[in-house]
Amino acid sequence: MKIEAVDFFYLSMPQVEDIGDGSQDALLVRVAAGGYVGWGECEAAPLVTIAAMICPMSHSACKPVLASVLGASLDSPADIARIHADVHQNSMDLLQADHALSGIDIALWDLLGHRYQEPVWKLLGYERAYPKTPYASMLFGDTPQETCDKVRATRERGFRVVKLGWGPYGKTTPEADRDQVLAAREGLGADGLLCVDAGTVWADDLALGEARLAALREANVYWLEEPFHTGALHVYKALATLSAPIYIAGGEGAHNEHMARHMIDYAGVGYVQIDTGRIGGITVAKRVTDYAVQRGARYINHTFTSHLALSASLQPYAGVREHHLCEYPVELKSLAYDLTSEHLLPDANGDIQTPDQPGLGIAPDVAALRNYLVDAEIVVNGQTLYKTPAL
Amino acid sequence: MKIEAVDFFYLSMPQVEDIGDGSQDALLVRVAAGGYVGWGECEAAPLVTIAAMICPMSHSACKPVLASVLGASLDSPADIARIHADVHQNSMDLLQADHALSGIDIALWDLLGHRYQEPVWKLLGYERAYPKTPYASMLFGDTPQETCDKVRATRERGFRVVKLGWGPYGKTTPEADRDQVLAAREGLGADGLLCVDAGTVWADDLALGEARLAALREANVYWLEEPFHTGALHVYKALATLSAPIYIAGGEGAHNEHMARHMIDYAGVGYVQIDTGRIGGITVAKRVTDYAVQRGARYINHTFTSHLALSASLQPYAGVREHHLCEYPVELKSLAYDLTSEHLLPDANGDIQTPDQPGLGIAPDVAALRNYLVDAEIVVNGQTLYKTPAL
């Protein structure tokens, strides 16, 4: 097969709020080849990512991402790996390229799955997909009481693992953060697994992270996520050395395999959190899974958007039984929820199953998405390089 | 002063060729505040970088870069540092943000220089600017003879240091590469300093780099640049352990301070090569300079574009006498040459002086640039977010 068409659809809520909720817009990618269609999603700024797909060439190592994709052969996973190598060579100086490639890669795997009537995880070489224990991923409340209430409600919905992040956490005093974390523990109960996401709020200041450890231990927190910027490897490492028994988690900012490996090798994270919509798609996420297994770190998805993205994020480590936690967004905006008509719901045990239908096993609800479609147009020297296609 | 306006100008040669010459287009940035104007240049895909400046917000950590710049206070270098922190927090999930910020940062320093009537290097805290020995930065010829001829011609122009890169190097056999490197040495003469740039051609394959070391030693090459992708730190380190007396150089792909530090701390480069137009501008480049000095690595600019970019790239280490080499592009396309009417030419000793006029000490030739101006327009839901302004 040859890749005949790659189309992008910028979707957005009517109003985007100034909060840390990444489900307020989306960039959907549709790939067509040999009569088959595959869908993917970039977890990335839609307009900038579209520009990276179609921009004019700057030089031989700064080409638009589509230059390495359109017309390429696609018959096997090896073809996807070759497309990756081409994009990295031809778009090396295009910073946004990895975010753009992510959605394309996911769509290519989905398409191959439909072609061969296999779920993606089988094409990746796994014999079976193991159930994952979902952790409910939520934002901190504005007050400890609000946090306690929302965690309690989530526990009552059946979630045994909860992660709170962003909001006020880390921005004022260790005492205020202690109140928030203890409130979360109160809402969850003593036997639940509680995680905290600092959202890189301390940049690269070790002391600010260290000052929170006592309260995190008091609340029996399982991991502390993203205390620092992704690149601050030595600061991560210093905190990881001090934080036991609390794991340090991070990696969602990784936009290539190397960066994920750095989080394991140099930053000392116990959990490496990978967003398939950013790191270069399923191809790269699977390589990181293999590396994490080899190095004794735990792989886990980062997903705060649609259930299409959730399926794509589960595929890379579906067959690794021991890495059994998964992020599960529970506060989706309607766009992200409506993006698919089916959803990956907890089973009777409260676990999430990676679909065993062909491809991602879940498809966009095209009719519903028309309500969210953003009309975008990019014109350079009189030539229309992009115009939102019909959905 | 408040930042009143930030404008971008996409410039391009009429025809962009599929070669590794980054001087074929440019994104120029103009900042206005308090009656002063500053200019900067992003070494980045223009259209994608414009999109990063003006895209709609996706969520609180994925805002357009301008959201943290327009209206901000600008009275001192501390204000620039604060703008950096704001961009990193507010555009954390916007991958292209660092490339966009780079040109803005350079323009902010230029503007402050005009405001205080000081060259940027003085505002950075240097007492004086030391002369730099330029290395002529060129592409390999298609054949060894062509390489020999062009290097000889460059030597006859007075350059004692030459770097050859890209073209056929590294893509076929070690024998073919040996012929190229020995031809370069022949053209340069025995006493010149010769450097080789592999342009990341071996990705992360140590053996492919190692196989070239013998010929590089035979040609008495001073450094081998970018044998691998920027992130392949452990492979860099392995080659650096084997390469003496040849230094390993790299870092042009770094788009933040952390990545540059990784090249020093984990990759073991002897020369860390920083492009102010990519890493976040002069602010970040100065931090990398300080770190390199502290760690005993040598800082050097990466510049393959205009003399505006060249001045911006010299400022961060102008006052460090011991780090005396600088990259000097000698094969500029007319756009990059015409971008300024003045040029930083070698003095009687063959050295380059960082300008001691206010700001960058060199300004764009606005009239000449109108010939290269690209007309671009970005419209989202009927609203024009960008239209090329008048120059």
Side-chain angles (χ1 to χ4, degrees):
Chain A
M1 304 186 287
K2 297 281 181 192
I3 298 175
E4 295 144 15
V6 185
D7 289 303
F8 329 108
F9 304 95
Y10 177 177
L11 307 165
S12 179
M13 295 293 292
Q15 292 294 328
V16 172
E17 297 173 67
D18 193 358
I19 56 173
D21 174 354
S23 75
Q24 304 184 79
D25 65 9
L27 183 64
L28 200 60
V29 180
R30 182 181 66 196
V31 174
Y36 299 93
V37 167
W39 292 93
E41 190 178 337
C42 304
E43 173 47 13
L47 184 69
V48 185
T49 307
I50 290 171
M53 302 278 193
I54 54 85
C55 62
M57 170 170 71
S58 290
H59 56 83
S60 63
C62 193
K63 292 177 186 162
V65 172
L66 281 195
S68 308
V69 180
L70 275 173
S73 294
L74 178 67
D75 292 298
S76 71
D79 289 322
I80 301 180
R82 193 203 61 248
I83 289 169
H84 271 259
D86 288 348
V87 169
H88 280 142
Q89 198 62 34
N90 298 331
S91 303
M92 183 193 309
D93 287 347
L94 179 54
L95 192 46
Q96 192 75 13
D98 289 313
H99 278 192
L101 176 58
S102 298
I104 293 174
D105 174 275
I106 292 167
L108 294 175
W109 282 102
D110 187 41
L111 192 151
L112 275 190
H114 291 294
R115 163 68 183 82
Y116 293 107
Q117 289 293 297
E118 297 277 15
V120 169
W121 53 264
K122 267 213 174 142
L123 296 178
L124 289 170
Y126 291 124
E127 294 286 319
R128 59 166 293 194
Y130 293 93
K132 304 291 183 192
T133 305
Y135 75 77
S137 187
M138 328 169 49
L139 304 181
F140 273 107
D142 290 336
T143 63
Q145 189 58 51
E146 193 186 322
T147 295
C148 179
D149 293 345
K150 68 195 285 190
V151 171
R152 179 172 288 124
T154 303
R155 177 75 201 230
E156 285 166 1
R157 284 172 59 193
F159 288 96
R160 306 182 298 272
V161 192
V162 167
K163 184 187 84 182
L164 279 306
W166 297 75
Y169 189 79
K171 291 177 179 162
T172 59
T173 64
E175 292 69 31
D177 291 343
R178 175 176 179 271
D179 292 345
Q180 279 279 3
V181 171
L182 291 178
R185 170 55 72 193
E186 187 189 334
L188 185 61
D191 61 335
L193 214 57
L194 177 64
C195 303
V196 168
D197 178 1
T200 78
V201 69
W202 304 311
D204 59 358
D205 190 330
L206 176 63
L208 291 177
E210 197 179 345
R212 269 72 181 185
L213 289 180
L216 294 171
R217 286 197 189 95
E218 186 182 352
N220 193 22
V221 162
Y222 185 62
W223 82 50
L224 171 63
E225 174 174 337
E226 287 221 309
F228 311 115
H229 288 162
T230 297
L233 304 174
H234 61 295
V235 195
Y236 266 92
K237 183 76 169 186
L239 193 66
T241 307
L242 299 168
S243 70
I246 301 164
Y247 288 110
I248 303 298
E252 69 175 85
H255 57 87
N256 59 52
E257 182 184 355
H258 294 304
M259 290 178 73
R261 290 170 67 134
H262 302 164
M263 295 306 289
I264 297 170
D265 291 342
Y266 305 118
V269 299
Y271 276 85
V272 62
Q273 305 172 291
I274 299 302
D275 199 313
T276 50
R278 290 180 184 161
I279 199 164
I282 291 169
T283 301
V284 182
K286 173 62 162 62
R287 291 178 192 156
V288 175
T289 300
D290 293 345
Y291 192 69
V293 168
Q294 176 195 325
R295 300 283 297 178
R298 287 163 196 79
Y299 181 99
I300 190 162
N301 66 311
H302 172 266
T303 309
F304 209 85
T305 54
S306 76
H307 283 223
L308 185 78
L310 182 60
S311 174
S313 79
L314 293 171
Q315 307 287 341
Y317 75 123
V320 185
R321 185 178 200 161
E322 298 72 24
H323 300 198
H324 69 90
L325 284 177
C326 77
E327 179 164 31
Y328 189 84
V330 294
E331 295 183 323
L332 291 183
K333 288 280 186 283
S334 66
L335 156 62
Y337 192 81
D338 294 349
L339 200 141
T340 57
S341 57
E342 293 177 286
H343 296 91
L344 306 184
L345 302 176
D347 63 16
N349 296 322
D351 292 331
I352 301 293
Q353 293 285 349
T354 308
D356 59 3
Q357 285 82 41
L360 297 177
I362 192 163
D365 182 350
V366 170
L369 290 180
R370 292 193 184 113
N371 299 323
Y372 300 99
L373 191 58
V374 173
D375 187 45
E377 186 168 8
I378 300 176
V379 181
V380 172
N381 278 341
Q383 196 185 346
T384 300
L385 298 186
Y386 178 80
K387 178 151 183 46
T388 300
L391 184 62
Chain B
M1 303 186 287
K2 297 281 181 192
I3 298 175
E4 295 145 14
V6 186
D7 289 304
F8 329 109
F9 303 94
Y10 177 178
L11 307 165
S12 179
M13 295 293 293
Q15 293 294 328
V16 172
E17 297 174 67
D18 193 357
I19 56 174
D21 174 354
S23 76
Q24 304 184 79
D25 65 8
L27 184 65
L28 200 60
V29 180
R30 183 181 65 196
V31 174
Y36 299 93
V37 167
W39 292 92
E41 190 178 338
C42 304
E43 172 47 14
L47 184 69
V48 185
T49 307
I50 290 171
M53 302 277 193
I54 54 85
C55 61
M57 170 170 72
S58 289
H59 56 82
S60 63
C62 194
K63 291 176 184 161
V65 172
L66 282 195
S68 308
V69 180
L70 275 173
S73 294
L74 178 66
D75 293 298
S76 71
D79 289 322
I80 300 181
R82 193 204 60 246
I83 289 169
H84 271 259
D86 288 347
V87 169
H88 281 141
Q89 199 61 32
N90 298 332
S91 303
M92 183 193 307
D93 287 348
L94 179 54
L95 192 47
Q96 192 74 14
D98 290 312
H99 278 192
L101 176 58
S102 298
I104 293 174
D105 174 275
I106 293 167
L108 294 176
W109 282 103
D110 187 41
L111 192 151
L112 275 191
H114 291 293
R115 163 70 183 80
Y116 294 106
Q117 289 292 299
E118 296 277 15
V120 170
W121 52 264
K122 265 210 178 146
L123 296 179
L124 290 170
Y126 292 124
E127 294 287 320
R128 59 167 292 193
Y130 293 93
K132 303 292 183 191
T133 306
Y135 75 77
S137 186
M138 336 172 41
L139 304 180
F140 272 107
D142 289 337
T143 64
Q145 189 59 50
E146 193 185 322
T147 296
C148 179
D149 293 345
K150 66 194 289 189
V151 172
R152 179 171 288 123
T154 303
R155 177 74 203 232
E156 285 164 3
R157 284 173 59 193
F159 287 97
R160 307 182 298 272
V161 192
V162 167
K163 185 187 84 183
L164 281 306
W166 297 75
Y169 189 80
K171 291 179 179 161
T172 60
T173 65
E175 293 70 30
D177 291 343
R178 176 177 178 271
D179 292 344
Q180 279 278 3
V181 172
L182 291 178
R185 170 54 73 194
E186 188 190 332
L188 184 61
D191 61 335
L193 213 58
L194 178 64
C195 302
V196 169
D197 178 1
T200 78
V201 68
W202 304 309
D204 59 358
D205 190 330
L206 176 62
L208 291 177
E210 196 178 346
R212 269 72 180 186
L213 288 181
L216 294 171
R217 286 197 189 96
E218 186 182 351
N220 192 22
V221 162
Y222 184 63
W223 80 51
L224 171 64
E225 173 175 336
E226 287 220 311
F228 312 115
H229 287 161
T230 297
L233 304 175
H234 62 295
V235 196
Y236 266 91
K237 183 77 170 185
L239 193 66
T241 307
L242 299 168
S243 71
I246 301 164
Y247 289 110
I248 303 298
E252 68 174 87
H255 57 86
N256 58 52
E257 182 185 354
H258 295 305
M259 290 177 73
R261 291 171 66 132
H262 302 164
M263 294 307 288
I264 296 170
D265 291 341
Y266 304 119
V269 299
Y271 275 86
V272 62
Q273 305 172 292
I274 298 303
D275 199 313
T276 50
R278 289 180 185 161
I279 200 163
I282 291 170
T283 302
V284 182
K286 173 61 162 61
R287 291 177 192 159
V288 176
T289 300
D290 293 346
Y291 192 69
V293 168
Q294 177 193 328
R295 300 283 297 178
R298 287 163 195 79
Y299 182 98
I300 190 163
N301 65 312
H302 172 266
T303 310
F304 209 85
T305 54
S306 75
H307 283 223
L308 185 78
L310 182 60
S311 174
S313 78
L314 293 172
Q315 308 287 341
Y317 76 122
V320 185
R321 185 177 201 161
E322 298 71 25
H323 300 199
H324 69 91
L325 284 177
C326 77
E327 179 164 32
Y328 188 84
V330 293
E331 295 183 322
L332 291 184
K333 288 280 186 284
S334 66
L335 155 62
Y337 192 81
D338 294 349
L339 201 140
T340 57
S341 57
E342 293 177 287
H343 296 91
L344 306 184
L345 301 177
D347 63 16
N349 297 321
D351 292 331
I352 301 293
Q353 293 286 350
T354 308
D356 58 6
Q357 286 81 40
L360 297 178
I362 192 164
D365 182 350
V366 170
L369 288 180
R370 291 192 185 113
N371 299 323
Y372 300 98
L373 191 59
V374 173
D375 187 45
E377 185 168 8
I378 300 176
V379 181
V380 173
N381 278 342
Q383 196 186 346
T384 300
L385 299 186
Y386 178 79
K387 178 152 182 47
T388 301
L391 185 61

